[in-house]
């Protein structure tokens, strides 16, 4: 009888130990960074986002809940079918637990559909369409860094007063650009400005001449660049060649990154106004992350790269708190815990997937104002998160009761 009781006890202990180990699937946490590695968004995302994610993993000692953390990555080439194929393979055959970054909103929307159906967490830093936390929302998505609604709110309210009362759009022709144009148009009109029209260009185009001539011919006081990455830099360069600023038209970039300004140079970019989700000079935490990242890469991180770091860091801490990597349990802990790190202070993750944090209206410094390499921005105003982001009950997310 004693031998039977002892054997039963050993067996029970083994079962308990096995159950505890099973809380972390496949005995590891696997993170997949998916973005543009070689195209128009490679500078603000690309391998820079991979490095930022690795920094978050390193802060955790390379482990979470006693299990190792693995980081993989791939290039979606800004194509939804390629992005979807990679994510299906990662989840079905490589046991990936979380997808990170994903610029190009059309790709992000395709990926979100997959992660929602397959119960995987999706940490969006690069994709910007507000639709991601609207009618397309998912219980396993955290939209971390910015969205088209917040960009439009900041630029529209201030821009209508400061930059001019007539606007014309130069818009990249896919979901991100369309959403940004629509959102900003609504804000501009609500603040007394008129929109004279828009012209749309393909993603990653080299020649903006015909589009800029149409914008120039509109006579609008402000040309709003509803694009990003290399498209923004190229459109600004060519707008100067065609004399739009010299003719009195102001260029307003709705989404720019430090690498864009670095490429243009302060002489060309000075005075441009833009929205940003991260202020690298906000406090000691932000400055320390920027310094550490630059030591590794030689570049100032973009808000997307810093957002990827922050989202993964918060995710890993949530796994520790939950004691499991099961998606919905981790998301519950992520929503319950404020975000306080190098990216955001007092950030909060809502039921619709939106992470609410402060946004910043920035202006590019003049060469005389800059104190050195990568010192490019000054803050015109800080927009509190609750004012920047769409109210949760206005987006059409079916998760909102």
């Amino acid at each position: 009888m004693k031998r039977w009781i002892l054997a039963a006890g050993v067996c029970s202990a083994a079962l308990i130990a096995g159950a505890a180990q099973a809380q972390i699937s496949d005995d590891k946490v696997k993170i997949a960074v998916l973005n543009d590695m070689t195209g128009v968004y490679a500078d603000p995302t690309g391998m820079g986002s991979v490095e930022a994610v690795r920094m978050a993993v390193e802060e955790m000692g390379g482990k979470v809940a006693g299990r190792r953390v693995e980081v993989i990555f791939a290039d979606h080439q800004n194509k939804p079918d390629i992005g979807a194929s990679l994510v299906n393979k990662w989840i079905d055959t490589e046991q990936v637990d979380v997808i990170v970054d994903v610029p190009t909103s059309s790709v992000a929307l395709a990926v979100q559909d997959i992660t929602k159906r397959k119960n995987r967490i999706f940490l969006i830093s690069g994709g910007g369409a507000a639709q991601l936390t609207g009618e397309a929302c998912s219980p396993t998505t955290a939209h971390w860094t910015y969205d088209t609604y917040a960009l439009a709110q900041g630029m529209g309210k201030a821009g209508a007063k400061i930059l001019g009362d007539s606007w014309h759009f130069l818009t990249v022709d896919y979901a991100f650009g369309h959403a940004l144009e629509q959102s900003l148009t609504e804000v501009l009109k609500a603040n007394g400005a008129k929109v004279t029209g828009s012209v749309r260009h393909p993603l990653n185009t080299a020649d903006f001449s015909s589009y800029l001539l149409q914008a120039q011919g509109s006579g609008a006081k402000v040309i709003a660049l509803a694009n990003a990455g290399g498209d923004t830099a190229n459109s600004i360069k060519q707008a100067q060649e065609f004399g739009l600023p010299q003719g009195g038209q102001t260029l307003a970039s709705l989404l720019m990154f430090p690498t864009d300004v670095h490429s243009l140079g302060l002489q060309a970019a000075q005075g441009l106004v833009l929205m940003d989700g991260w202020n690298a000079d906000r406090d000691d935490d932000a400055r320390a992350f920027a310094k550490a990242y630059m030591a590794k890469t030689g570049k100032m991180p973009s808000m997307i790269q810093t957002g990827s770091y922050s989202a993964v860091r918060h995710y890993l801490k949530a796994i520790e708190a939950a004691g499991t990597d099961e998606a919905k349990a981790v998301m519950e802990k992520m929503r319950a815990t404020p975000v306080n790190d190098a990216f955001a202070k007092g950030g909060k993750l809502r039921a619709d997937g939106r992470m609410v944090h402060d946004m910043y209206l920035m202006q590019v410094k003049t060469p005389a104002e800059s104190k050195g390499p990568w010192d490019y921005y000054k803050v015109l105003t800080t927009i509190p998160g609750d004012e920047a982001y769409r109210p949760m009950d206005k987006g059409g997310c079916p998760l909102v009761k």
Side-chain angles (χ1 to χ4, degrees):
M1 178 65 73
K2 288 181 179 178
R3 284 196 295 270
W4 183 88
I5 292 171
L6 179 60
V10 171
C11 185
S12 297
L15 287 170
I16 292 170
Q21 289 179 359
Q23 296 301 303
I24 302 298
S25 59
D26 307 303
D27 214 34
K28 65 178 180 294
V29 174
K30 197 166 186 178
I31 301 169
V33 182
L34 180 66
N35 62 29
D36 178 1
M37 298 283 177
T38 56
V40 66
Y41 301 139
D43 278 343
T45 65
M47 287 304 298
S49 287
V50 176
E51 188 59 53
V53 168
R54 286 171 173 162
M55 290 173 69
V57 173
E58 287 168 7
E59 280 192 21
M60 301 291 291
K63 291 185 176 182
V64 62
R67 304 297 187 273
R68 68 186 178 91
V69 181
E70 182 180 348
V71 178
I72 64 173
F73 56 88
D75 185 352
H76 62 38
Q77 301 176 45
N78 297 307
K79 296 177 181 178
D81 57 336
I82 292 177
S85 176
L86 285 164
V87 170
N88 276 317
K89 177 187 173 186
W90 278 340
I91 294 174
D92 294 344
T93 68
E94 299 186 35
Q95 293 78 50
V96 162
D97 297 293
V98 60
I99 310 296
V100 183
D101 197 0
V102 193
T104 312
S105 295
S106 54
V107 184
L109 286 162
V111 170
Q112 178 160 276
D113 182 62
I114 296 167
T115 54
K116 179 163 50 175
R117 287 188 284 105
K118 298 187 176 183
N119 195 38
R120 292 295 191 275
I121 288 178
F122 185 18
L123 304 177
I124 306 172
S125 191
Q131 180 185 354
L132 289 157
T133 54
E135 62 270 24
C137 70
S138 164
T140 58
T141 285
H143 198 182
W144 209 258
T145 302
Y146 74 102
D147 65 26
T148 52
Y149 184 96
L151 296 178
Q153 285 293 309
M155 180 62 75
K157 288 181 179 179
K161 298 175 183 177
I162 299 170
L163 303 179
D165 60 3
S166 61
W167 293 58
H168 198 88
F169 282 90
L170 180 64
T171 301
V172 63
D173 193 10
Y174 75 95
F176 163 75
H178 301 170
L180 192 53
E181 179 184 321
Q182 179 182 352
S183 297
L184 182 53
T185 295
E186 292 171 359
V187 179
L188 287 169
K189 289 181 176 178
N191 285 272
K194 64 179 180 181
V195 175
T196 62
S198 68
V199 57
R200 292 179 175 177
H201 68 83
L203 178 67
N204 201 18
T205 189
D207 185 3
F208 284 87
S209 57
S210 64
Y211 311 114
L212 288 168
L213 288 171
Q214 291 180 59
Q216 187 177 42
S218 71
K221 295 177 182 177
V222 184
I223 307 302
L225 306 177
N227 52 22
D231 283 336
T232 300
N234 287 332
S235 54
I236 291 170
K237 288 177 183 177
Q238 293 177 39
Q240 292 170 335
E241 292 170 4
F242 280 96
L244 273 69
Q246 296 88 330
Q249 290 178 302
T250 298
L251 299 177
S253 175
L254 300 177
L255 187 62
M256 279 191 77
F257 303 103
T259 47
D260 299 326
V261 178
H262 192 75
S263 174
L264 287 164
L266 283 180
Q267 191 63 42
Q270 61 181 312
L272 282 165
V273 177
L274 62 137
M275 288 293 298
D276 205 297
W278 179 57
N279 175 15
D281 200 34
R282 184 199 65 207
D283 59 17
D284 288 344
D285 286 344
R287 285 187 287 270
F289 175 78
K291 183 177 180 181
Y293 182 93
M294 289 179 68
K296 288 178 175 290
T297 68
K299 298 178 180 179
M300 175 68 73
S302 70
M303 67 170 172
I304 293 174
Q305 290 155 345
T306 310
S308 295
Y309 156 84
S310 171
V312 169
R313 182 179 184 271
H314 198 71
Y315 164 74
L316 294 174
K317 287 182 174 293
I319 291 177
E320 288 274 14
T324 177
D325 61 357
E326 194 280 321
K328 289 186 174 62
V330 175
M331 288 297 298
E332 184 177 347
K333 289 295 183 182
M334 290 179 71
R335 285 190 286 266
T337 309
V339 181
N340 289 299
D341 59 19
F343 178 74
K345 285 290 190 289
K348 52 191 177 185
L349 181 60
R350 303 189 311 201
D352 62 351
R354 177 68 258 164
M355 202 280 274
V356 176
H357 58 89
D358 292 348
M359 296 288 291
Y360 304 92
L361 186 69
M362 305 279 205
Q363 187 172 37
V364 178
K365 292 181 176 181
T366 66
E369 291 173 320
S370 176
K371 298 176 182 177
W374 299 101
D375 179 32
Y376 294 151
Y377 295 162
K378 58 185 178 184
V379 178
L380 296 181
T381 187
T382 299
I383 304 160
D386 289 336
E387 295 179 18
Y389 288 100
R390 180 178 59 203
M392 190 162 57
D393 61 350
K394 303 296 185 184
C397 172
L399 301 173
V400 177
K401 306 295 185 182

